[in-house]
Amino acid sequence: MLAKTKAVVLRTIKYGDSRMIVDLLTEQVGRLGCIVTVPKTARGRNKKQLYQPMTLLDIEFDQRPQADLQHIRDVRIAVPYLSIPFDTYKLPTALFLSEFLYYATRGEQQNSALYAFVETSMQWLDAAQKPVPNFHLVFIIHLAQFIGFFPNLDDYHEGDLFDLRSASFVNVQPLHADYVQAQEASYLLQLMRMNYATMHLFRFSREQRNHILQLLLDYYRLHVPAFPELHSTAVVQELFV
């Protein structure tokens, strides 16, 4: 059965001489693994350039529920990026987010709100006129709303700690080591209250930003099974002063 959906590219792996495996996050079916034959001539539809990380696509594929990998029959770019592929800050950010999303959404079923958040976020990044050093932090913390462990901000009181395991602000030190002190908890609260339009109002040093990033990745590691150390973390940590 042929099916159509919007999709964002998360990862590609070469498979033999002329094929590759493409991992996608889609609007209609959630995560989707596809096998793609890469043409040897410029006339083919499945050009390798279409499958760069975080590219927004419209695809048509053979939906076979019992198959591990689906076959893409038609593909085109849904929203072309005007700046991300050429920007020395935006491109590494997009590559980091593709690796992050590959693991953070593994096993996700159909979730149109999650897909809309990712798509809208990438369009916002592409259109941004100035450097956006907090973008990846705001993206990561707000994604938690769509996969089930965003904390209740109404529970916060000044001086609270943040329990990474229970995803909650607490006024008593937990009986485990997975929590952050009051100052760091206040940073996380600021992030949770930010959006892309207001994040420029919050100033973090590189050291603070990188420390917050590590806290957020630890947070995901506690809530997403088999969430690993990301290879691209070191690159994004060097982007902004």
Side-chain angles (χ1 to χ4, degrees), residues 28-86:
Q28 297 301 322
V29 296
R31 283 292 295 270
L32 186 70
C34 296
I35 188 81
V36 172
T37 300
V38 181
K40 295 182 179 180
T41 67
R43 295 184 178 182
R45 288 182 179 273
N46 281 321
K47 297 176 182 178
K48 188 176 181 180
Q49 292 84 347
L50 292 172
Y51 299 100
Q52 298 303 306
M54 300 308 290
T55 302
L56 300 172
L57 301 175
D58 286 323
I59 67 169
E60 185 175 286
F61 66 100
D62 284 332
Q63 190 169 22
R64 300 177 181 178
Q66 304 306 315
D68 292 331
L69 296 173
Q70 310 297 326
H71 288 267
I72 293 179
R73 296 303 179 190
D74 193 24
V75 59
R76 59 188 174 87
I77 292 179
V79 183
Y81 292 138
L82 301 179
S83 67
I84 288 175
F86 317 106

Side-chain angles (χ1 to χ4, degrees), residues 20-21 26 36 51 54 59 73 89 93 95 102-103 123 139 152 159 180 191 203 215:
M20 60 185 180
I21 295 171
T26 73
V36 172
Y51 299 100
M54 300 308 290
I59 67 169
R73 296 303 179 190
Y89 295 103
T93 299
L95 294 175
Y102 174 79
Y103 292 107
Q123 289 178 287
F139 181 99
N152 182 355
V180 298
L191 271 180
R203 303 279 183 177
L215 287 177

Side-chain angles (χ1 to χ4, degrees), residues 10-26:
L10 301 184
R11 188 175 76 163
T12 62
I13 299 176
K14 186 177 180 182
Y15 186 72
D17 293 333
S18 61
R19 293 191 293 176
M20 60 185 180
I21 295 171
V22 181
D23 288 293
L24 304 166
L25 177 67
T26 73

Side-chain angles (χ1 to χ4, degrees), residues 176-188:
H176 56 76
D178 296 319
Y179 69 92
V180 298
Q181 297 288 349
Q183 182 62 63
E184 296 167 323
S186 71
Y187 292 156
L188 293 178

Side-chain angles (χ1 to χ4, degrees), residues 158-190:
E158 187 174 353
D160 277 356
L161 314 177
F162 186 69
D163 187 328
L164 295 168
R165 289 190 188 181
S166 66
S168 61
F169 293 100
V170 296
N171 57 16
V172 177
Q173 181 174 313
L175 298 176
H176 56 76
D178 296 319
Y179 69 92
V180 298
Q181 297 288 349
Q183 182 62 63
E184 296 167 323
S186 71
Y187 292 156
L188 293 178
L189 179 73
Q190 288 181 45

